[in-house]
Amino acid sequence: MSSAPADRKNQMVRDQIEAGQFKQALQLCNRRIKKGEKTEYLWALKAFVLTQIPGPANAEEAEQLARTLSDKTPPVVATDVLGLLTRVWVQLEDTAEVLNVWERAVKSQPQNEDLARDWFFMAIRMEDWRGAQKAAMNLQTKHTKRRDYFFWAIVSCLLLHNSLPEGVPERKLFGTLAYRMIDKARNDTPADTTIIPARGIQTSQEINLMLELIPHINPQEADKLCLEVLNSNNLGVDSTVGSGDWWGLARKRLDLLEKTEDWKTLYALCKSLLPGGNSENGDSANGEQSKREITGRGDDWRVWKGFVQAAGKLYDAGDKSVSQEALEKIVNHRKIAAAGSSRNGDLALVKFASFFHDKSDGPEGTPTLQEAVEEYFDRICTKNCCFEDLQEYLEMLEDVEQQDFLKYVEKKIASMPQEMENQTIDAINAIINQQKFIYLTSISKLDTASPATTKTVTAFVTANIQIYTNALQLGTKLLVTDNQYGDDAALLSVMGLIRLFTLTPTDQAPLYQSIVILETLLQKSKHNYQALLLLVRLYLLIGSIGQAVTTYPRLNIKQVQNDTLSHYLTTRISTLLPNDRRVSVLISDALEIYDSSRAQSANMLQLGFERGGYAQMMGFIELSQRIAGSVCRTMGEIELHRISRLTSTPSPEHLQEVGVKGQVWDNRDFDVILNSELSSKPSFESTIRLGPKPAERWALSFAAVESIVDSLKTGTKPPYIDARVTEANGNGNASTVAAQDPSTIITLAINNDIESPPSDREFTSQEIQFLRLLTTISDLVTAVHKKSAESVTSLLEQQLLPSTLDSLPTETPDWSLLHTLWLTKDSCIVVALLVDFLRKHAAKVIKSNALTGLKEAAGKMKKDVEEKAREVVKELEDEEREQKLVDQVLSEEGVGKWLRKEEVWGGVEKVVERVGRVREGIREAVRGVSK
Amino acid sequence: MSSLRPFHALDLFRFNATNLDPLTENYDISFYLNYLARWPTYFCAVENARGRIMGYIMGKSEGHYTNWHGHVTALTVAPSYRRLGLAKMMMDELERVTDSVYRGYFVDLFVRVSNEIAIGMYEKLGYSVYRRVVEYYSGGAGFAGDEDAFDMRKPMSRDKKKESVRENGRDYHVSPEEVWF
């Protein structure tokens, strides 16, 4: 055991490691070793430090030290030393040694349970599933009284199985082993649960583990086997063990019955679960029978959906009595259900009617779909969710029926009492639902610009502005955290205006009007996140990037939301406002989630095992993998690298290598913004994106760009060049070799992008141009390293940079102009780096004046970009133009009539001020390019 | 339409409609996973027909002897889905789990004393104030400074004599340190 002074000295080394001062840490270790200190921990510490300092000599010395410790007899058994050795071998990419060192330690002390557990948890934390499986098997065979070790072994076998590629015999072996073990546990569990053997299944988590495991091991019969478990007396939904997660298991059974199309059983089961059914499990917490009759556990949309679907399928199969019974059940439920109870039964009737909509058929008493939808509106129209509940069914109706429905809605709203304040609030909600229906059935269909279209949309926008304005007087007593009752109407008006803008993108007045509306809304509903997200996007679209950066923090995005939501601001941001320090701070903060997630996931996996949360383990692992491989992470890293290049600041040290390692996941949330578009149309959110949606192809290509830039800066030979030689010798794996070549990666990506339908494209045209330049540069780097003078000369004959920016449209400067200017500037920087690289490494094969010419061309183009930016700023300063825009925004013919009003909107002066602020925001962003 | 289901780790990517609300706290990932690992049946989401999360509840079991109980750590419903009875639906489930799975004596929760709407809702669900916890909440979005909490309780069937609740709990003041189990 270490003495206290040694502890202090070790801590000093660890502090240096923590601070990233590896050379100082190494000096501390060497000094102590020189003085004769020979503890295992010190050696292991030194080996670890050596792995942190690049260079083959350090790696070799680290390996020697680690080898000495790993082969020691008697073996190392101190867990802190073993932990360090593990990290050393992982760094040296020798996981077999990790296994060896722990196995020897545990074998030397077979009764040391703590050591064996440490091995298991170390393997889990490192996601070394093979090590974990061995460690868990060792635990469960040596320490047979601990039932949890038995389940750890099962889970570890499953994790190892899942980590192995399909087709590897070992995969099947470990899967079968896991299944046999849990199957034995299942068979050992008696129906009478007063005494369950230690290795029987005792918790609902263990049942869930079994259900999770079966599809992995026996996909062909999985559904049948899982249903057998869920129907069984000892472990089924209604068993004592299963009662711990009764509803979770019951849902699984419904899912499986639906999947296997066992409509009869599904129908009977749903019927028994519904309120008034014969379920024994539906008692509420306090066992109130009468309460259960109405709000029993079965009053859940999952059950109603299964019930209606099964009835419909049985009807199709010729069993018509069932559908009659189902209809009666729904109707009766709606009769006895108290007002304000769940709306599931009401919607079940709509779903039931929808089933017979195209058939013009159905049991007696079946309402038409239009009647059912109207009846649903009658009951639920005051709830915000009415629109999304009905959207699917409304889209099934013919145009004429839709118009009849809208007339019905209008009549209904006209008949709603509005004497009391709460009645008026209800009416406002119903009216907003009506407006969403109008958007869906009329506005969403408009896809060509015309005077008639403008008239229709303008009428819609002004109607909603009026609704919003009228509703404001009802919200005077609302809390600061509440939204105003009419906010959705204001958002609908913005959606209408955006529709006008997308049909005529050269007219930016609707964008300015939208911004005025949203800014006003957010004064009254400070936390309305829909409005905040929309406003961030609109500022970006219009080019007032600084305003977007100022507004974004009001969303208070934290933790995992950085992965799902930060893209609303940060997508392509380095080509819009790289010179604003706040941008890199925001991205860096967002990227912290990835480091913290890595540490937290390891702890959580351990906790999952310790607490027996086996059914959660797969979810934890998938979550961890999806965060680690998030496309947003790579996008953020790329943005930071480009910012550092464009602003001549050092690139972030901890992000030296932009990584796309392993599978790429897209965790971004695009659905959080209100959407009332037809399901056949692109979502509203997609109409306000800044260019195509970047995803895996984009991330791979721009990560490749960073590797090309890195090879220009360092001058070192990229590893793929040697790999290419291997390929030429016929010994290489062609796809692997190709995947490592940045030029090939980018070319493939561009080709795929061009061939994709517009909705699947990821690159802007400016990005494609930039990427093409980089492929040429990459080929040049390769040619230089291969000493192919001919290739170098011919590649240099290509025109690398555009000759002029004259064709760049600048009439309506927006994000796209900024994007073009910054990307062109980035191209110039990269070309300048290329020239430096060629001067150092290819001076002999290239004429010096050719390089000087190239450098001058890059310099000139950079100056042209800056000059162009200055021109645009001048145009933006033109007061006449600004006045013309203000006039358009305040045009009496449309929404401007409303925005002129003092009350609510602040009058003409306020609008002028807001428009002026946006224009200043655009000028500021463009000015950034000119510096 | 609404459907209750167990919360899944991947739901952390999909709960923005609730967690963008200023009154809903965003914890670090390990906080949610800790609850999933330890009390999976106490962590449920309500989703609509499109699978969108409308709200969620997370809770835990804690305490000793007659203080053994279920605790509501977080209950949230997205702004668009309020006044639909979803909170009640989730509370019913947490009470069912407390009563029949964990056999707790009561369910408790903390609520800001200023949050009259929530207090009213919990009272309707059978909860009453057991004590007032002084300066339990620190200031945050939309809140000026520290704020007291009411510790509200509802007895479960195991508490036959209703000993877990008291009259006039609003007048019984305690410090935050006194409420840890």
Side-chain angles (χ1 to χ4, degrees):
Chain A
M1 200 168 176
S2 309
S3 63
D7 273 348
R8 275 198 299 276
K9 286 179 195 164
N10 290 337
Q11 190 53 47
M12 283 167 70
V13 180
R14 286 195 293 263
D15 288 346
Q16 295 292 351
I17 294 172
E18 190 87 359
Q21 308 288 335
F22 299 114
K23 287 193 177 156
Q24 287 84 335
L26 184 62
Q27 277 175 7
L28 287 175
C29 293
N30 284 337
R31 224 175 281 160
R32 287 167 62 189
I33 290 169
K34 229 179 189 178
K35 284 185 184 170
E37 207 177 317
K38 284 182 182 169
T39 62
E40 290 173 346
Y41 188 84
L42 178 59
W43 282 28
L45 201 54
K46 182 181 172 182
F48 176 69
V49 173
L50 282 164
T51 60
Q52 301 301 305
I53 308 172
N58 291 323
E60 203 175 307
E61 192 181 349
E63 189 176 349
Q64 265 176 17
L65 279 171
R67 173 83 51 217
T68 310
L69 287 166
S70 299
D71 293 346
K72 239 181 120 192
T73 308
V76 174
V77 290
T79 47
D80 51 0
V81 180
L82 288 167
L84 275 172
L85 271 179
T86 301
R87 293 171 73 180
V88 172
W89 286 122
V90 168
Q91 287 287 327
L92 296 171
E93 295 180 2
D94 193 342
T95 44
E97 269 306 322
V98 177
L99 196 60
N100 170 49
V101 72
W102 279 95
E103 230 175 351
R104 286 187 73 225
V106 170
K107 263 189 191 161
S108 74
Q109 296 192 350
Q111 296 313 313
N112 187 342
E113 190 176 342
D114 287 343
L115 182 65
R117 278 169 65 96
D118 284 342
W119 176 21
F120 176 70
F121 285 129
M122 181 282 306
I124 289 296
R125 296 174 71 88
M126 311 286 298
E127 297 194 9
D128 168 16
W129 308 129
R130 189 175 294 279
Q133 192 273 338
K134 277 214 164 197
M137 289 309 270
N138 172 68
L139 275 168
Q140 73 98 15
T141 48
K142 296 269 165 44
H143 309 280
T144 48
K145 284 182 185 165
R146 291 282 302 261
R147 66 182 304 276
D148 44 352
Y149 294 161
F150 179 68
F151 287 93
W152 292 7
I154 296 171
V155 178
S156 307
C157 285
L158 178 60
L159 292 174
L160 178 57
H161 165 274
N162 291 353
S163 72
L164 294 167
E166 297 272 358
V168 171
E170 260 191 318
R171 183 181 157 97
K172 198 177 172 194
L173 178 80
F174 288 109
T176 309
L177 183 57
Y179 182 70
R180 281 200 185 144
M181 287 172 82
I182 203 149
D183 196 44
K184 183 176 182 312
R186 175 193 172 186
N187 294 331
D188 284 353
T189 310
D192 170 11
T193 52
T194 40
I195 303 168
I196 302 177
R199 293 190 171 193
I201 290 176
Q202 292 183 5
T203 70
S204 55
Q205 282 292 296
E206 290 160 10
I207 301 175
N208 276 303
L209 170 64
M210 179 159 201
L211 297 172
E212 178 96 38
L213 200 150
I214 290 170
H216 287 290
I217 312 308
N218 191 349
Q220 286 81 24
E221 289 186 281
D223 297 341
K224 188 175 142 253
L225 291 171
C226 287
L227 273 170
E228 269 175 32
V229 174
L230 289 165
N231 290 328
S232 66
N233 290 331
N234 58 348
L235 299 174
V237 176
D238 299 322
S239 68
T240 309
V241 180
S243 69
D245 183 23
W246 179 78
W247 183 232
L249 295 174
R251 280 185 65 103
K252 277 189 181 153
R253 182 160 61 177
L254 296 178
D255 291 345
L256 283 166
L257 287 170
E258 195 172 298
K259 201 173 159 206
T260 53
E261 302 186 356
D262 184 352
W263 306 117
K264 241 185 190 160
T265 313
L266 179 64
Y267 178 79
L269 192 58
C270 290
K271 189 181 150 198
S272 74
L273 288 170
L274 285 172
N278 53 11
S279 168
E280 293 301 313
N281 302 293
D283 288 23
S284 66
N286 294 324
E288 297 163 24
Q289 181 64 22
S290 59
K291 193 174 157 194
R292 178 167 68 82
E293 286 299 313
I294 304 300
T295 61
R297 291 291 310 286
D299 188 10
D300 184 291
W301 181 245
R302 180 67 196 86
V303 181
W304 281 108
K305 188 182 133 227
F307 180 68
V308 173
Q309 193 178 7
K313 294 286 181 187
L314 289 169
Y315 183 91
D316 276 352
D319 191 347
K320 305 205 170 177
S321 63
V322 164
S323 57
Q324 185 69 53
E325 186 189 64
L327 178 63
E328 278 163 20
K329 173 102 185 158
I330 296 167
V331 171
N332 284 337
H333 170 79
R334 295 176 72 239
K335 268 186 201 157
I336 58 162
S341 66
S342 129
R343 65 204 194 282
N344 294 320
D346 295 318
L347 199 67
L349 185 64
V350 179
K351 189 170 178 61
F352 189 86
S354 77
F355 191 81
F356 299 101
H357 178 55
D358 288 334
K359 301 183 174 80
S360 302
D361 194 0
E364 200 185 329
T366 306
T368 65
L369 181 57
Q370 188 190 326
E371 285 166 350
V373 167
E374 286 170 359
E375 210 173 323
Y376 189 82
F377 184 80
D378 267 354
R379 285 201 175 205
I380 314 291
C381 65
T382 62
K383 308 289 185 193
N384 198 313
C385 59
C386 180
F387 170 75
E388 68 172 46
D389 285 350
L390 287 184
Q391 181 179 353
E392 172 190 352
Y393 305 103
L394 205 58
E395 287 191 43
M396 290 180 186
L397 296 177
E398 300 294 326
D399 286 356
V400 181
E401 292 171 315
Q402 286 180 352
Q403 292 313 311
D404 285 348
F405 169 71
L406 288 176
K407 279 180 201 156
Y408 180 86
V409 166
E410 199 168 351
K411 231 191 234 172
K412 163 75 187 173
I413 290 170
S415 71
M416 286 174 83
Q418 295 195 41
E419 284 119 38
M420 314 282 285
E421 190 176 272
N422 60 347
Q423 289 174 332
T424 314
I425 293 168
D426 281 348
I428 290 287
N429 288 332
I431 291 167
I432 290 174
N433 278 319
Q434 175 195 27
Q435 292 301 317
K436 289 178 182 170
F437 293 132
I438 292 172
Y439 189 97
L440 179 82
T441 54
S442 306
I443 310 295
S444 185
K445 288 174 183 166
L446 303 172
D447 40 23
T448 46
S450 73
T453 299
T454 307
K455 198 175 163 197
T456 307
V457 179
T458 305
F460 175 80
V461 171
T462 49
N464 277 283
I465 288 284
Q466 193 170 352
I467 295 162
Y468 172 71
T469 310
N470 292 344
L472 281 176
Q473 56 194 312
L474 298 165
T476 49
K477 290 182 217 146
L478 287 170
L479 300 173
V480 69
T481 46
D482 287 334
N483 292 338
Q484 290 290 326
Y485 298 112
D487 277 3
D488 274 9
L491 296 175
L492 282 166
S493 70
V494 170
M495 286 166 66
L497 288 166
I498 299 294
R499 169 71 44 157
L500 287 179
F501 168 70
T502 49
L503 293 177
T504 317
T506 47
D507 178 8
Q508 288 192 326
L511 279 185
Y512 283 90
Q513 289 165 332
S514 299
I515 288 173
V516 171
I517 293 168
L518 291 170
E519 285 180 350
T520 309
L521 182 157
L522 283 163
Q523 283 182 330
K524 298 165 203 310
S525 302
K526 295 192 183 314
H527 299 283
N528 187 319
Y529 63 81
Q530 300 266 0
L532 283 166
L533 285 166
L534 265 176
L535 189 57
V536 166
R537 274 281 181 87
L538 296 192
Y539 284 143
L540 292 171
L541 265 181
I542 215 161
S544 181
I545 316 299
Q547 281 189 293
V549 176
T550 305
T551 306
Y552 176 79
R554 284 180 63 183
L555 285 157
N556 208 15
I557 303 282
K558 281 188 198 163
Q559 307 293 347
V560 71
Q561 288 180 318
N562 279 306
D563 191 39
T564 53
L565 295 173
S566 64
H567 68 93
Y568 278 95
L569 175 74
T570 59
T571 300
R572 300 196 168 95
I573 191 88
S574 66
T575 61
L576 305 174
L577 197 66
N579 49 327
D580 187 330
R581 174 91 187 104
R582 294 176 301 167
V583 171
S584 49
V585 171
L586 275 168
I587 299 175
S588 298
D589 287 351
L591 287 175
E592 278 176 21
I593 181 72
Y594 302 107
D595 285 336
S596 63
S597 160
R598 198 181 309 131
Q600 288 173 15
S601 301
N603 291 338
M604 286 307 109
L605 280 179
Q606 179 165 340
L607 185 75
F609 277 103
E610 285 174 337
R611 296 285 170 171
Y614 308 124
Q616 311 298 328
M617 306 301 287
M618 301 305 148
F620 286 8
I621 290 167
E622 191 177 345
L623 179 78
S624 160
Q625 288 172 345
R626 287 185 66 141
I627 293 177
S630 167
V631 73
C632 246
R633 175 194 198 152
T634 309
M635 285 169 62
E637 290 173 354
I638 287 164
E639 298 297 330
L640 281 183
H641 274 271
R642 186 150 50 198
I643 286 172
S644 87
R645 201 160 51 243
L646 288 168
T647 57
S648 306
T649 50
S651 56
E653 267 184 35
H654 61 291
L655 295 176
Q656 284 304 332
E657 196 185 340
V658 174
V660 177
K661 301 175 190 86
Q663 193 168 358
V664 178
W665 294 93
D666 191 352
N667 308 320
R668 290 171 293 179
D669 185 350
F670 292 96
D671 294 335
V672 77
I673 284 187
L674 189 68
N675 187 37
S676 303
E677 304 290 346
L678 288 162
S679 47
S680 57
K681 299 271 181 183
S683 70
F684 169 66
E685 179 279 328
S686 68
T687 64
I688 50 165
R689 286 183 192 153
L690 280 74
K693 180 174 86 177
E696 182 171 357
R697 206 182 291 146
W698 190 97
L700 285 166
S701 300
F702 281 95
V705 165
E706 293 310 321
S707 77
I708 296 167
V709 172
D710 195 50
S711 60
L712 290 177
K713 283 182 182 168
T714 61
T716 50
K717 191 195 272 190
Y720 69 85
I721 292 175
D722 289 333
R724 276 187 162 182
V725 175
T726 314
E727 183 190 34
N729 292 340
N731 299 324
N733 177 328
S735 61
T736 309
V737 173
Q740 288 169 342
D741 177 352
S743 178
T744 312
I745 292 170
I746 296 171
T747 307
L748 273 174
I750 292 174
N751 292 343
N752 286 339
D753 207 67
I754 291 168
E755 284 164 19
S756 299
S759 59
D760 292 344
R761 286 187 197 151
E762 297 185 19
F763 300 123
T764 61
S765 57
Q766 299 94 320
E767 284 167 343
I768 289 182
Q769 199 177 344
F770 178 81
L771 289 169
R772 285 200 168 124
L773 163 70
L774 267 289
T775 56
T776 310
I777 292 178
S778 176
D779 292 342
L780 266 164
V781 171
T782 305
V784 168
H785 283 294
K786 285 181 158 183
K787 301 191 192 315
S788 169
E790 200 180 321
S791 299
V792 172
T793 313
S794 82
L795 283 163
L796 271 178
E797 277 166 10
Q798 292 184 23
Q799 184 177 356
L800 296 178
L801 289 167
S803 54
T804 169
L805 286 170
D806 288 349
S807 60
L808 191 63
T810 57
E811 295 80 37
T812 47
D814 59 2
W815 75 274
S816 177
L817 175 80
L818 291 164
H819 181 62
T820 309
L821 294 176
W822 280 114
L823 266 180
T824 313
K825 219 171 178 181
D826 199 15
S827 304
C828 299
I829 295 169
V830 177
V831 168
L833 285 172
L834 170 70
V835 172
D836 293 344
F837 169 83
L838 293 174
R839 275 201 178 125
K840 270 189 208 159
H841 302 280
K844 284 181 194 164
V845 288
I846 308 169
K847 285 180 190 159
S848 146
N849 59 351
L851 290 178
T852 311
L854 191 55
K855 188 133 193 177
E856 278 172 4
K860 186 186 169 297
M861 180 49 65
K862 197 163 162 253
K863 275 189 185 147
D864 285 354
V865 167
E866 289 164 359
E867 186 50 39
K868 180 62 84 179
R870 277 189 283 273
E871 272 172 38
V872 174
V873 170
K874 237 181 212 170
E875 283 172 34
L876 281 162
E877 280 167 349
D878 183 345
E879 283 180 14
E880 236 173 77
R881 280 191 186 200
E882 189 158 321
Q883 187 53 49
K884 198 177 157 200
L885 178 66
V886 168
D887 291 346
Q888 284 176 300
V889 172
L890 287 168
S891 164
E892 290 276 1
E893 283 160 17
V895 69
K897 195 170 78 182
W898 284 89
L899 301 185
R900 284 168 179 270
K901 293 184 194 269
E902 283 282 333
E903 205 185 348
V904 180
W905 307 101
V908 172
E909 267 182 41
K910 193 75 194 168
V911 172
V912 172
E913 185 195 317
R914 290 188 194 283
V915 170
R917 233 184 353 245
V918 174
R919 298 283 286 180
E920 177 51 30
I922 305 171
R923 281 195 292 271
E924 196 50 43
V926 182
R927 237 178 249 132
V929 189
S930 69
K931 289 174 186 164
Chain B
M1 68 288 274
S2 45
S3 184
L4 189 80
R5 64 163 175 77
F7 197 89
H8 189 274
L10 297 183
D11 287 332
L12 297 181
F13 293 134
R14 304 169 54 239
F15 65 178
N16 289 316
T18 55
N19 279 37
L20 278 166
D21 183 67
L23 291 174
T24 303
E25 187 57 68
N26 280 290
Y27 301 101
D28 65 27
I29 292 170
S30 64
F31 186 83
Y32 300 104
L33 299 194
N34 186 22
Y35 270 76
L36 271 179
R38 298 171 74 167
W39 304 284
T41 47
Y42 265 139
F43 202 166
C44 299
V46 182
E47 65 178 17
N48 68 8
R50 298 177 192 177
R52 187 172 185 190
I53 294 177
M54 305 154 91
Y56 63 86
I57 190 167
M58 54 195 291
K60 61 181 173 181
S61 57
E62 59 182 2
H64 300 287
Y65 311 110
T66 52
N67 263 329
W68 175 244
H69 68 284
H71 174 74
V72 182
T73 302
L75 170 67
T76 177
V77 176
S80 308
Y81 303 106
R82 289 179 187 157
R83 296 197 306 143
L84 295 171
L86 302 185
K88 182 185 180 307
M89 182 184 190
M90 292 188 278
M91 288 296 289
D92 281 350
E93 176 64 4
L94 187 131
E95 288 167 14
R96 187 193 73 80
V97 172
T98 302
D99 214 41
S100 63
V101 179
Y102 287 94
R103 299 290 298 135
Y105 285 86
F106 60 93
V107 169
D108 81 342
L109 55 93
F110 295 97
V111 58
R112 288 177 185 274
V113 293
S114 63
N115 194 348
E116 287 167 27
I117 295 171
I119 293 165
M121 180 194 78
Y122 290 125
E123 281 175 343
K124 266 192 196 163
L125 296 178
Y127 288 77
S128 60
V129 176
Y130 181 72
R131 54 192 169 178
R132 180 178 180 127
V133 191
V134 180
E135 293 181 350
Y136 180 80
Y137 292 106
S138 52
F143 300 101
D146 293 350
E147 191 179 348
D148 296 354
F150 283 140
D151 175 3
M152 298 185 79
R153 291 185 176 185
K154 178 177 180 179
M156 296 288 103
S157 62
R158 195 173 179 188
D159 180 13
K160 291 194 171 62
K161 293 181 186 166
K162 312 285 181 226
E163 287 171 330
S164 57
V165 289
R166 64 159 70 102
E167 301 263 324
N168 305 319
R170 287 173 189 243
D171 302 330
Y172 194 88
H173 290 215
V174 294
S175 64
E177 300 78 49
E178 291 173 74
V179 300
W180 298 116
F181 285 96

